[in-house]
Structures are given as structure tokens and as C-alpha cells.
Amino acid sequence: MTTDPLEIAGRPFESRLIVGTGKYASPEEMLETIRATAAEIVTVAVRRVDLDASNRESILAWLDPDEFFLLPNTAGCYTAEEAVRYARLGREAGLSDWVKLEVIGDRETLLPDVAELLEAARTLVKEGFTVLAYTNDDLVTALRLEDAGVAAVMPLASPIGSGLGLLNPVNIRLLKGRLHLPVIVDAGVGTSSDACLTMEQGVDGILMNTALAEARNPPLMGRAMRHAVEAGRLAYLAGRMERREWAVPSTPMEGMLG
Amino acid sequence: MNEEQIPIRLNGREHAVAPGRTLAELLAELDLDERTVVVELNREIVRREELDDRALEEGDEVEVVHFVGGGAPRLVGGAPLGSTSRSGRPPRPGELRNT
């Protein structure tokens, strides 16, 4: 896949799989799983240091910025103001000026608040951030995000943590067809077939977390996802055969005994 | 609490510091490595090289944050930043429904 890099804001990445770091049983399991996926971009969140905990180590104790491209996110933010605050804190840590922007609008479904998202995106782009925006699979919002100057649009396959897979491939293809930016499907993938099917739509990449962390064997699922994303990408590039509702023999009829 | 100490808010909770303490000294008292955290004072980010510049004053609101596992709302370790200036508050991770 080295000749087919994922390019975001002019920066090439060999892997089209981006992974989160939440929900793992232990940091050891997280690291083993991430390595199994061969992902380069890894998302992290900004939170208060727990001053009561005996173990106050940052997740950076486990994730080497030389091995992974660490992408701070604004997970859990419900307003543009809050998301901008978290993005600035993430940037101040000194890793990069990239941010995965999330502004949630509803606690039950964790669906994005697109009005707040657009406002936060405009502010952060103005402040020089490279913004990757988590959004609905809605074309108009995606176009507005592109106008706002984000570096990638990240529509959901289905709600965060749901594992329902790609609910609306038509919308995802529509977005990919209309946007000039990378389209990275973020959230909802449950297992390898979901990832493969999503990549077959022609999108540029996938971000996942729960499908890995909640698998019975996360490192093994990591390997499965790595291959699924690659397989789906290759199948998209190869171009699938036409669907038809009748049979066509693969073997010639000529030369059969009369 | 020593009566000479002054009250501040640290990560959303009452905390007392000796008069004249700087943010750098506060981090040292808390046994935190200033290279692994980011500090906000009254909602303004304080750059690492400026942590020594100002003494803490009564009522200062200090937030000390770092990176934790994330990518989905149920987070490993740490609490979200609370806000005292808005009517609502951000949900705690346990309040978010995940399937």
C-alpha cells in the first residue's frame, strides 16, 4: 500500500486506519492492539489530571510520538466554546496543531451538533489548526466544513460505540463524490466486514475505537481490521464487477461433448 | 489548613496554597512533571516557560490537564473540565450511554 498513501493536509500516511485509545482494559492491551492495526494516527483526549489517583501518568507514557502521530480530540465537548478550549489545551501540549474536532449535540445518540461544530471549525481554522471534523453523513454540513477550511471531513457510519456498521452507504458515496477533501469515516464500525464495506465505498480512511477495545480479543481484531481496511481499499481501486440478477457461466460452453 | 494559606480552585476543587506560590511551585508540590501537563489559569493557557511568572492569588482557578485514552466518550482516567460559568455542565463519562 506504500504507493497509495492517505494524504491529509499535505502529509502522507501509509495506513488508512486511524484508531482511538479509549475503553481498553489496560494500556498494555491498547498498545498491542494499536500495533496490530498498523495505524499511524492515534487519537488522545484532554482531561484533568486526577490528583487523587496514585497513578497520574499521561497516556503519553505509553504512546511514543516518534512511533505514532498523536491526534488530540475534543471528545465529550458539547459547545463550540468548550471544543475550542480543549483544542487549544491539546495544542499547548506541543505535539502538533492538528485536532480531531467533535462537538456532540445529544447525549443519547452522541450525534454531532453541526451548528456548534461549524462555529468551532471556523474559529480553529482561523487560529491555524489543522482540523479533522467529526460530523453527520450529511452532504450540506460536509460542504460547509470544506468551505470553513477543515483538512478532512469525518462522517459517521453509525453512532459512536454502536457497532451498527455503515448505515447509509449512499450518503457516504455522495460526500466522497462531492468533496475535494479526504473523507474518513469515523464511528460505528463493528467488525471487519463493516470496515471493508466502508472502504469499498471509496472513502479515504476509517477511524475506530470501540470495535477494537470491546472485541473479545482486541489485538486479534486489530489485525482483522488492518486487513479489512486494506482489502476494502484494494477492492475499491480494483473496481468491482457489475451486479446482475442472472447467472453467467465462468466456463465456456464451446467444446462440450455433443 | 494553615491560616496563612490562600484558597484557590484546583481542578474544580478547593485547594490551599502558601502565599506567593507560583504555578511551577504548585506543580512541584503536587509531584507533577510540568513537561507532561498543560496548565490553565482563569481560563487562559499558561505556557510552560511562564509557569514561574506569577504568584497565585486568592480565588484563582487552576486547571491541570494531560492526555488520556480517548476516541470515544467513555474515557480512561481523568474527569472532563468542569465549568462554573455556564448553567449546564459537561456530562461525566459515566453518564454517557454507550452500547
Side-chain angles (χ1 to χ4, degrees):
Chain A
M1 299 296 285
T2 47
T3 54
D4 177 37
L6 165 63
E7 204 175 301
I8 306 171
R11 182 177 173 134
F13 297 94
E14 247 179 71
S15 173
R16 292 180 175 273
L17 179 51
I18 303 175
V19 295
T21 49
K23 302 188 188 178
Y24 284 97
S26 69
E28 289 87 351
E29 185 184 76
M30 174 199 75
L31 189 58
E32 189 187 347
T33 304
I34 293 174
R35 285 188 172 139
T37 66
E40 289 166 85
I41 306 177
V42 175
T43 65
V44 292
V46 173
R47 287 295 181 271
R48 281 174 171 159
V49 176
D50 183 351
L51 298 171
D52 294 332
S54 54
N55 179 9
R56 299 171 186 172
E57 77 186 359
S58 146
I59 200 161
L60 299 194
W62 293 89
L63 296 171
D64 180 359
D66 292 331
E67 181 178 356
F68 304 107
F69 183 84
L70 299 176
L71 177 63
N73 67 25
T74 63
C77 291
Y78 278 72
T79 64
E81 183 193 354
E82 196 178 22
V84 167
R85 183 183 183 196
Y86 276 72
R88 288 174 181 154
L89 287 166
R91 176 159 74 175
E92 196 59 29
L95 297 172
S96 73
D97 55 10
W98 289 42
V99 63
K100 195 203 121 184
L101 177 63
E102 285 182 43
V103 188
I104 302 301
D106 176 62
R107 291 183 190 199
E108 291 289 314
T109 59
L110 301 178
L111 291 172
D113 184 323
V114 296
E116 296 287 322
L117 174 70
L118 275 165
E119 188 188 327
R122 291 186 183 113
T123 303
L124 292 172
V125 167
K126 215 176 288 173
E127 293 186 12
F129 281 88
T130 296
V131 178
L132 287 71
Y134 166 68
T135 182
N136 281 317
D137 60 351
D138 171 61
L139 175 66
V140 177
T141 307
L143 290 170
R144 296 290 175 272
L145 286 165
E146 187 170 69
D147 291 344
V150 304
V153 172
M154 307 182 80
L156 50 80
S158 47
I160 293 173
S162 70
L164 291 173
L166 183 58
L167 293 182
N168 198 331
V170 178
N171 272 4
I172 294 295
R173 282 199 302 275
L174 188 60
L175 252 74
K176 181 56 198 166
R178 290 286 300 277
L179 295 177
H180 301 99
L181 293 173
V183 173
I184 296 163
V185 170
D186 179 359
V189 166
T191 187
S192 58
S193 52
D194 297 334
C196 195
L197 186 70
T198 301
M199 290 305 295
E200 285 173 16
Q201 310 308 311
V203 298
D204 299 276
I206 299 184
L207 189 153
M208 64 178 74
N209 189 158
T210 311
L212 297 166
E214 289 190 0
R216 201 168 61 237
N217 182 334
L220 197 55
M221 186 59 87
R223 238 176 97 196
M225 290 298 191
R226 171 190 182 168
H227 291 300
V229 168
E230 284 183 10
R233 177 66 182 175
L234 290 172
Y236 166 72
L237 293 174
R240 61 154 296 148
M241 64 163 280
E242 183 191 346
R243 284 179 209 270
R244 41 175 102 87
E245 296 189 355
W246 60 90
V248 178
S250 313
T251 311
M253 295 303 286
E254 294 81 26
M256 290 199 74
L257 303 178
Chain B
M1 188 195 297
N2 184 321
E3 63 186 280
E4 282 177 25
Q5 293 197 313
I6 55 168
I8 62 166
R9 280 189 82 79
L10 173 63
N11 283 8
R13 285 159 45 167
E14 295 297 333
H15 191 83
V17 293
R21 282 278 184 276
T22 65
L23 285 166
E25 287 164 344
L26 175 66
L27 293 181
E29 271 175 27
L30 297 168
D31 201 20
L32 291 172
D33 182 347
E34 60 184 61
R35 291 166 302 178
T36 67
V37 298
V38 176
V39 179
E40 234 188 36
L41 175 61
N42 301 327
R43 291 209 152 224
E44 296 285 332
I45 289 173
V46 182
R47 296 183 174 278
R48 221 156 275 161
E49 56 274 17
E50 294 165 1
L51 289 170
D52 252 326
D53 287 1
R54 162 156 142 20
L56 287 163
E57 291 167 8
E58 185 171 340
D60 274 346
E61 293 193 13
V62 180
E63 296 282 358
V64 183
V65 304
H66 65 170
F67 285 129
V68 300
R74 194 194 301 158
L75 291 144
V76 178
L81 299 179
S83 168
T84 51
S85 63
R86 273 192 302 279
S87 53
R89 64 169 176 82
R92 300 290 181 262
E95 293 172 0
L96 298 178
R97 180 176 296 182
N98 279 279
T99 49

mmCIF file of all heavy atoms in Angstrom, chain B residues 47-74:
data_model
loop_
_atom_site.group_PDB
_atom_site.id
_atom_site.type_symbol
_atom_site.label_atom_id
_atom_site.label_comp_id
_atom_site.label_asym_id
_atom_site.label_seq_id
_atom_site.Cartn_x
_atom_site.Cartn_y
_atom_site.Cartn_z
ATOM 1 N N ARG B 47 1.781 29.219 29.274
ATOM 2 C CA ARG B 47 2.860 28.497 28.602
ATOM 3 C C ARG B 47 3.869 27.991 29.630
ATOM 4 O O ARG B 47 4.034 28.588 30.689
ATOM 5 C CB ARG B 47 3.555 29.404 27.584
ATOM 6 C CG ARG B 47 2.608 29.808 26.491
ATOM 7 C CD ARG B 47 3.262 30.649 25.421
ATOM 8 N NE ARG B 47 2.304 30.849 24.359
ATOM 9 C CZ ARG B 47 2.053 29.968 23.391
ATOM 10 N NH1 ARG B 47 2.743 28.846 23.350
ATOM 11 N NH2 ARG B 47 1.148 30.198 22.484
ATOM 12 N N ARG B 48 4.496 26.884 29.267
ATOM 13 C CA ARG B 48 5.408 26.228 30.201
ATOM 14 C C ARG B 48 6.466 27.193 30.748
ATOM 15 O O ARG B 48 6.770 27.200 31.925
ATOM 16 C CB ARG B 48 6.085 25.060 29.468
ATOM 17 C CG ARG B 48 6.222 23.834 30.279
ATOM 18 C CD ARG B 48 6.335 22.609 29.392
ATOM 19 N NE ARG B 48 5.013 22.096 28.999
ATOM 20 C CZ ARG B 48 4.811 21.281 27.970
ATOM 21 N NH1 ARG B 48 5.803 20.885 27.230
ATOM 22 N NH2 ARG B 48 3.593 20.862 27.689
ATOM 23 N N GLU B 49 6.979 28.035 29.839
ATOM 24 C CA GLU B 49 8.064 28.936 30.265
ATOM 25 C C GLU B 49 7.555 30.084 31.138
ATOM 26 O O GLU B 49 8.341 30.806 31.735
ATOM 27 C CB GLU B 49 8.840 29.459 29.053
ATOM 28 C CG GLU B 49 8.017 30.162 27.987
ATOM 29 C CD GLU B 49 7.409 29.204 26.951
ATOM 30 O OE1 GLU B 49 7.339 27.989 27.219
ATOM 31 O OE2 GLU B 49 7.011 29.682 25.871
ATOM 32 N N GLU B 50 6.221 30.208 31.239
ATOM 33 C CA GLU B 50 5.657 31.290 32.063
ATOM 34 C C GLU B 50 5.096 30.792 33.399
ATOM 35 O O GLU B 50 4.489 31.562 34.146
ATOM 36 C CB GLU B 50 4.540 32.009 31.276
ATOM 37 C CG GLU B 50 5.071 32.750 30.061
ATOM 38 C CD GLU B 50 3.970 33.164 29.085
ATOM 39 O OE1 GLU B 50 2.793 32.883 29.372
ATOM 40 O OE2 GLU B 50 4.312 33.753 28.045
ATOM 41 N N LEU B 51 5.305 29.511 33.683
ATOM 42 C CA LEU B 51 4.720 28.941 34.903
ATOM 43 C C LEU B 51 5.305 29.549 36.173
ATOM 44 O O LEU B 51 4.709 29.491 37.248
ATOM 45 C CB LEU B 51 4.916 27.415 34.919
ATOM 46 C CG LEU B 51 4.070 26.626 33.919
ATOM 47 C CD1 LEU B 51 4.511 25.173 33.861
ATOM 48 C CD2 LEU B 51 2.588 26.711 34.277
ATOM 49 N N ASP B 52 6.472 30.144 36.034
ATOM 50 C CA ASP B 52 7.150 30.735 37.184
ATOM 51 C C ASP B 52 6.835 32.221 37.348
ATOM 52 O O ASP B 52 7.288 32.847 38.297
ATOM 53 C CB ASP B 52 8.674 30.576 36.991
ATOM 54 C CG ASP B 52 9.225 29.537 37.944
ATOM 55 O OD1 ASP B 52 8.685 29.446 39.063
ATOM 56 O OD2 ASP B 52 10.173 28.830 37.565
ATOM 57 N N ASP B 53 6.062 32.765 36.391
ATOM 58 C CA ASP B 53 5.991 34.233 36.304
ATOM 59 C C ASP B 53 5.075 34.913 37.312
ATOM 60 O O ASP B 53 5.278 36.064 37.651
ATOM 61 C CB ASP B 53 5.539 34.655 34.890
ATOM 62 C CG ASP B 53 6.649 34.449 33.878
ATOM 63 O OD1 ASP B 53 7.726 33.964 34.279
ATOM 64 O OD2 ASP B 53 6.435 34.765 32.690
ATOM 65 N N ARG B 54 4.047 34.221 37.766
ATOM 66 C CA ARG B 54 3.062 34.936 38.575
ATOM 67 C C ARG B 54 2.717 34.140 39.816
ATOM 68 O O ARG B 54 2.559 32.929 39.776
ATOM 69 C CB ARG B 54 1.803 35.173 37.714
ATOM 70 C CG ARG B 54 0.534 35.514 38.484
ATOM 71 C CD ARG B 54 -0.404 36.275 37.606
ATOM 72 N NE ARG B 54 -1.828 36.053 37.657
ATOM 73 C CZ ARG B 54 -2.585 35.515 38.585
ATOM 74 N NH1 ARG B 54 -2.073 34.993 39.652
ATOM 75 N NH2 ARG B 54 -3.894 35.454 38.440
ATOM 76 N N ALA B 55 2.593 34.867 40.922
ATOM 77 C CA ALA B 55 2.195 34.219 42.172
ATOM 78 C C ALA B 55 0.691 33.991 42.145
ATOM 79 O O ALA B 55 -0.065 34.794 41.592
ATOM 80 C CB ALA B 55 2.563 35.105 43.350
ATOM 81 N N LEU B 56 0.263 32.872 42.719
ATOM 82 C CA LEU B 56 -1.166 32.578 42.773
ATOM 83 C C LEU B 56 -1.865 33.547 43.719
ATOM 84 O O LEU B 56 -1.311 33.941 44.755
ATOM 85 C CB LEU B 56 -1.374 31.133 43.242
ATOM 86 C CG LEU B 56 -1.019 30.098 42.178
ATOM 87 C CD1 LEU B 56 -0.828 28.730 42.800
ATOM 88 C CD2 LEU B 56 -2.101 30.049 41.102
ATOM 89 N N GLU B 57 -3.076 33.921 43.334
ATOM 90 C CA GLU B 57 -3.860 34.853 44.149
ATOM 91 C C GLU B 57 -5.141 34.182 44.598
ATOM 92 O O GLU B 57 -5.604 33.221 43.973
ATOM 93 C CB GLU B 57 -4.189 36.109 43.318
ATOM 94 C CG GLU B 57 -2.963 36.946 43.020
ATOM 95 C CD GLU B 57 -3.230 38.007 41.949
ATOM 96 O OE1 GLU B 57 -4.406 38.172 41.557
ATOM 97 O OE2 GLU B 57 -2.254 38.638 41.513
ATOM 98 N N GLU B 58 -5.729 34.717 45.637
ATOM 99 C CA GLU B 58 -6.955 34.160 46.187
ATOM 100 C C GLU B 58 -8.032 34.084 45.090
ATOM 101 O O GLU B 58 -8.242 35.040 44.352
ATOM 102 C CB GLU B 58 -7.452 35.041 47.344
ATOM 103 C CG GLU B 58 -8.653 34.434 48.029
ATOM 104 C CD GLU B 58 -9.027 35.165 49.308
ATOM 105 O OE1 GLU B 58 -8.166 35.873 49.864
ATOM 106 O OE2 GLU B 58 -10.187 35.033 49.725
ATOM 107 N N GLY B 59 -8.668 32.937 45.026
ATOM 108 C CA GLY B 59 -9.758 32.773 44.059
ATOM 109 C C GLY B 59 -9.304 32.367 42.666
ATOM 110 O O GLY B 59 -10.136 32.166 41.775
ATOM 111 N N ASP B 60 -8.014 32.244 42.449
ATOM 112 C CA ASP B 60 -7.541 31.792 41.135
ATOM 113 C C ASP B 60 -8.110 30.409 40.820
ATOM 114 O O ASP B 60 -8.217 29.560 41.710
ATOM 115 C CB ASP B 60 -6.009 31.700 41.114
ATOM 116 C CG ASP B 60 -5.360 33.032 40.779
ATOM 117 O OD1 ASP B 60 -6.068 33.942 40.300
ATOM 118 O OD2 ASP B 60 -4.139 33.156 40.984
ATOM 119 N N GLU B 61 -8.461 30.225 39.546
ATOM 120 C CA GLU B 61 -8.936 28.914 39.120
ATOM 121 C C GLU B 61 -7.882 28.273 38.248
ATOM 122 O O GLU B 61 -7.547 28.787 37.186
ATOM 123 C CB GLU B 61 -10.261 29.045 38.361
ATOM 124 C CG GLU B 61 -11.378 29.519 39.266
ATOM 125 C CD GLU B 61 -12.755 29.363 38.651
ATOM 126 O OE1 GLU B 61 -12.886 28.665 37.622
ATOM 127 O OE2 GLU B 61 -13.693 29.950 39.207
ATOM 128 N N VAL B 62 -7.366 27.160 38.724
ATOM 129 C CA VAL B 62 -6.277 26.471 38.030
ATOM 130 C C VAL B 62 -6.784 25.128 37.512
ATOM 131 O O VAL B 62 -7.442 24.386 38.242
ATOM 132 C CB VAL B 62 -5.080 26.236 38.989
ATOM 133 C CG1 VAL B 62 -3.950 25.512 38.277
ATOM 134 C CG2 VAL B 62 -4.598 27.562 39.568
ATOM 135 N N GLU B 63 -6.504 24.858 36.249
ATOM 136 C CA GLU B 63 -6.801 23.539 35.690
ATOM 137 C C GLU B 63 -5.488 22.918 35.230
ATOM 138 O O GLU B 63 -4.697 23.567 34.540
ATOM 139 C CB GLU B 63 -7.736 23.653 34.470
ATOM 140 C CG GLU B 63 -9.124 24.205 34.785
ATOM 141 C CD GLU B 63 -10.059 23.184 35.420
ATOM 142 O OE1 GLU B 63 -9.653 22.017 35.594
ATOM 143 O OE2 GLU B 63 -11.195 23.579 35.756
ATOM 144 N N VAL B 64 -5.269 21.692 35.622
ATOM 145 C CA VAL B 64 -4.078 20.965 35.192
ATOM 146 C C VAL B 64 -4.569 19.750 34.404
ATOM 147 O O VAL B 64 -5.268 18.892 34.950
ATOM 148 C CB VAL B 64 -3.222 20.512 36.390
ATOM 149 C CG1 VAL B 64 -1.959 19.816 35.907
ATOM 150 C CG2 VAL B 64 -2.871 21.705 37.274
ATOM 151 N N VAL B 65 -4.241 19.713 33.122
ATOM 152 C CA VAL B 65 -4.746 18.631 32.265
ATOM 153 C C VAL B 65 -3.599 17.874 31.612
ATOM 154 O O VAL B 65 -2.455 18.348 31.566
ATOM 155 C CB VAL B 65 -5.701 19.172 31.165
ATOM 156 C CG1 VAL B 65 -6.857 19.950 31.772
ATOM 157 C CG2 VAL B 65 -4.949 20.017 30.154
ATOM 158 N N HIS B 66 -3.935 16.709 31.124
ATOM 159 C CA HIS B 66 -2.975 15.914 30.347
ATOM 160 C C HIS B 66 -3.761 15.034 29.375
ATOM 161 O O HIS B 66 -4.988 15.095 29.325
ATOM 162 C CB HIS B 66 -2.040 15.109 31.256
ATOM 163 C CG HIS B 66 -2.720 14.054 32.083
ATOM 164 N ND1 HIS B 66 -2.034 13.116 32.793
ATOM 165 C CD2 HIS B 66 -4.039 13.801 32.307
ATOM 166 C CE1 HIS B 66 -2.882 12.324 33.425
ATOM 167 N NE2 HIS B 66 -4.092 12.715 33.140
ATOM 168 N N PHE B 67 -3.032 14.222 28.617
ATOM 169 C CA PHE B 67 -3.692 13.347 27.660
ATOM 170 C C PHE B 67 -4.070 12.024 28.312
ATOM 171 O O PHE B 67 -3.276 11.441 29.045
ATOM 172 C CB PHE B 67 -2.777 13.061 26.464
ATOM 173 C CG PHE B 67 -2.664 14.216 25.516
ATOM 174 C CD1 PHE B 67 -1.424 14.680 25.122
ATOM 175 C CD2 PHE B 67 -3.796 14.833 24.999
ATOM 176 C CE1 PHE B 67 -1.308 15.743 24.228
ATOM 177 C CE2 PHE B 67 -3.688 15.887 24.111
ATOM 178 C CZ PHE B 67 -2.441 16.336 23.721
ATOM 179 N N VAL B 68 -5.301 11.596 28.020
ATOM 180 C CA VAL B 68 -5.753 10.282 28.467
ATOM 181 C C VAL B 68 -6.255 9.519 27.238
ATOM 182 O O VAL B 68 -6.358 10.089 26.152
ATOM 183 C CB VAL B 68 -6.884 10.398 29.515
ATOM 184 C CG1 VAL B 68 -6.430 11.168 30.729
ATOM 185 C CG2 VAL B 68 -8.132 11.029 28.915
ATOM 186 N N GLY B 69 -6.569 8.235 27.451
ATOM 187 C CA GLY B 69 -7.105 7.448 26.354
ATOM 188 C C GLY B 69 -8.446 8.001 25.919
ATOM 189 O O GLY B 69 -9.292 8.308 26.743
ATOM 190 N N GLY B 70 -8.647 8.133 24.613
ATOM 191 C CA GLY B 70 -9.915 8.655 24.131
ATOM 192 C C GLY B 70 -10.076 8.392 22.658
ATOM 193 O O GLY B 70 -9.135 8.029 21.966
ATOM 194 N N GLY B 71 -11.249 8.653 22.203
ATOM 195 C CA GLY B 71 -11.581 8.372 20.811
ATOM 196 C C GLY B 71 -13.053 8.061 20.798
ATOM 197 O O GLY B 71 -13.729 8.118 19.794
ATOM 198 N N ALA B 72 -13.531 7.785 21.987
ATOM 199 C CA ALA B 72 -14.944 7.555 22.234
ATOM 200 C C ALA B 72 -15.206 8.132 23.609
ATOM 201 O O ALA B 72 -14.293 8.296 24.389
ATOM 202 C CB ALA B 72 -15.218 6.064 22.190
ATOM 203 N N PRO B 73 -16.462 8.467 23.899
ATOM 204 C CA PRO B 73 -16.706 9.245 25.118
ATOM 205 C C PRO B 73 -16.434 8.555 26.442
ATOM 206 O O PRO B 73 -16.288 9.229 27.425
ATOM 207 C CB PRO B 73 -18.184 9.621 25.019
ATOM 208 C CG PRO B 73 -18.509 9.450 23.599
ATOM 209 C CD PRO B 73 -17.644 8.344 23.100
ATOM 210 N N ARG B 74 -16.423 7.249 26.488
ATOM 211 C CA ARG B 74 -16.103 6.642 27.776
ATOM 212 C C ARG B 74 -14.583 6.657 27.907
ATOM 213 O O ARG B 74 -13.866 5.981 27.188
ATOM 214 C CB ARG B 74 -16.623 5.214 27.871
ATOM 215 C CG ARG B 74 -16.588 4.696 29.304
ATOM 216 C CD ARG B 74 -16.777 3.214 29.345
ATOM 217 N NE ARG B 74 -18.038 2.820 28.751
ATOM 218 C CZ ARG B 74 -18.253 1.594 28.282
ATOM 219 N NH1 ARG B 74 -17.308 0.685 28.300
ATOM 220 N NH2 ARG B 74 -19.412 1.287 27.761
#
